[in-house]
Amino acid sequence: MKNLLILALLVLNLGTSAQKKDSRLWRKAQNLHQRIITIDTHNDTPILLLKDGFDIGEQHNASECQVDFPKMDEGSLDVSFFGVFTGQKPRTKANYRHAFLHANTMIDSIHAMVVSHPDFAQLAYSPENISNIQLAGKHVICIGMENGFPIAKELSRIEGFYNRGVRYITLCHSFHNDICDSSSDLTPPEHGGVSEFGQMVIHEMNRLGMMVDVSHLSDDSFFDVMNMSQAPVIASHSCARAVANHDRNMSDEMIKKLAENGGVIQMCLLDDYIKEPDTSTERYAAESRLMKIYRTKYSKMSDQEKEVFEADWRNMKKLPKKLPTVADMVDHIDHIVQLVGVDYVGIGSDFDGGGGLADCNDVSQFPNITYELLKRDYKPKDIRKIWGGNFLRVWREVEKVSGKLDAH
């Protein structure tokens, strides 16, 4: 009964919020949103593509899927980066092989998805591809890789992934790997930043024209990347630590360095990155306990133990939690714009991987972000930059650096 009451109040609040929209400004936001190129640089929807019977061409509830083709239509999302995610396991030959095969299976599923929906979407391998696909009246799918673990210690795999369409790699995830130290690993730093092998990985990505993604990296790893990369880098789904103090967010010093590098930080719509949580709730206590287990024990669990953990995680997600709003997220954009300017920020939702706000819980609600930006007097040319222009600039520069390196 208590949960039903909370749900009813949330629905009422959402309805009230929608009613408060200025109708003239909302029409302007919808019109602008449809005219500009909109890019979301990170979602975890490929996890769902591996499920039997899942069809991304069908409309789903946001609780089941936050990115499907009907929602992309409704939210006028032009370009979506589908993340090839592999979790971390002990670094054994068997686990390296499994991660490599799993990553390729996910890439296979993305290729199969566009083949089975040829009228709706097409894969893009470059910024120029995006323009051509849009002219054909289709949505654009790009591929990113979250976690460099599938590379193992074989540098040649990077070019193999590039040839299959991967255009950025998030160097690590929640644990240290062979490339660099993670921001989230509870064990002491392993490399003190980026390893010697990691430096070779970065140089190879620069050579190929593959974007280096610094989301999930430790601070020391981040600054090492800044010193090693010859091309601008991206943070595909991170926010500002000065606004929400989370180890996954970037400090002002990091954001300034990213801007000096010519890179871009893409706003993640995951609640704890947007607003510091209420630590007094039952949900916070349960989530904190399970996150500690995940960070310290999950990779060593048996399959049966993982099933128990995942059931506990699903039950935890049923506990009520007050989500931040689009306005809270735009506070991060404001901070970054005031710190380094409007040329270094974009959007990377992390939908289907934890992202979701009270008034933007799937891609169909993306126009709410454009509305909030207009409400705060952002000019259309700057909103165009935030929604994709900045990211495309970085991607083109990464390709340009690649051309120069190949020339040598």
Side-chain angles (χ1 to χ4, degrees), residues 98-256:
H98 179 269
F100 179 72
L101 293 174
H102 183 67
N104 276 289
T105 299
M106 294 187 86
I107 294 171
D108 289 342
S109 73
I110 297 170
H111 283 267
M113 174 191 73
V114 295
V115 168
S116 62
H117 297 84
D119 295 332
F120 186 88
Q122 189 173 330
L123 278 174
Y125 301 88
S126 71
E128 287 65 36
N129 285 163
I130 291 174
S131 301
N132 294 333
I133 294 168
Q134 282 195 300
L135 286 173
K138 300 178 184 181
H139 292 266
V140 181
I141 304 298
C142 302
I143 304 175
M145 176 173 285
E146 187 174 23
N147 197 357
F149 184 59
I151 295 169
K153 297 180 182 179
E154 299 185 34
L155 205 64
S156 62
R157 287 186 176 180
I158 302 173
E159 186 164 8
F161 286 130
Y162 180 86
N163 291 337
R164 300 212 64 200
V166 175
R167 287 301 177 265
Y168 75 69
I169 296 177
T170 316
L171 298 183
C172 67
H173 192 246
S174 296
F175 302 94
H176 312 320
N177 62 17
D178 293 304
I179 299 170
C180 63
D181 294 333
S182 167
S183 66
S184 305
D185 200 321
L186 297 181
T187 65
E190 182 175 330
H191 312 290
V194 173
S195 69
E196 289 185 14
F197 176 70
Q199 184 167 1
M200 291 190 287
V201 167
I202 292 165
H203 289 169
E204 177 67 357
M205 291 174 70
N206 286 169
R207 183 188 73 80
L208 291 167
M210 184 185 287
M211 290 171 279
V212 176
D213 179 15
V214 296
S215 288
H216 286 287
L217 272 62
S218 71
D219 291 14
D220 287 338
S221 295
F222 167 83
F223 286 109
D224 279 352
V225 171
M226 292 299 100
N227 291 327
M228 295 172 181
S229 180
Q230 298 180 58
V233 306
I234 66 168
S236 67
H237 57 303
S238 297
C239 294
R241 198 178 295 171
V243 182
N245 187 19
H246 194 288
D247 55 22
R248 271 281 287 106
N249 287 343
M250 297 176 67
S251 69
D252 283 0
E253 183 183 5
M254 295 166 77
I255 294 169
K256 287 178 181 177

Side-chain angles (χ1 to χ4, degrees), residues 41 211-215 222 226 232-238 250 254-255 257-267 336 340-348 385-395 398:
T41 55
M211 290 171 279
V212 176
D213 179 15
V214 296
S215 288
F222 167 83
M226 292 299 100
V233 306
I234 66 168
S236 67
H237 57 303
S238 297
M250 297 176 67
M254 295 166 77
I255 294 169
K257 194 69 176 177
L258 185 79
E260 288 175 15
N261 164 269
V264 63
I265 173 173
Q266 304 287 108
M267 296 295 93
I336 294 164
V340 294
V342 76
D343 295 321
Y344 308 101
V345 63
I347 306 294
K385 289 180 178 181
I386 293 167
W387 262 119
N390 292 334
F391 178 80
L392 289 175
R393 169 185 55 79
V394 172
W395 192 355
V398 169

Side-chain angles (χ1 to χ4, degrees), residues 243-246 249 270-281 283-285 287-288 321-324:
V243 182
N245 187 19
H246 194 288
N249 287 343
L270 198 149
D271 52 6
D272 286 356
Y273 303 171
I274 297 294
K275 198 169 186 177
E276 293 175 38
D278 180 353
T279 59
S280 67
T281 64
R283 168 68 177 261
Y284 178 83
E287 191 167 355
S288 298
K321 184 175 188 178
K322 184 179 179 181
L323 291 174

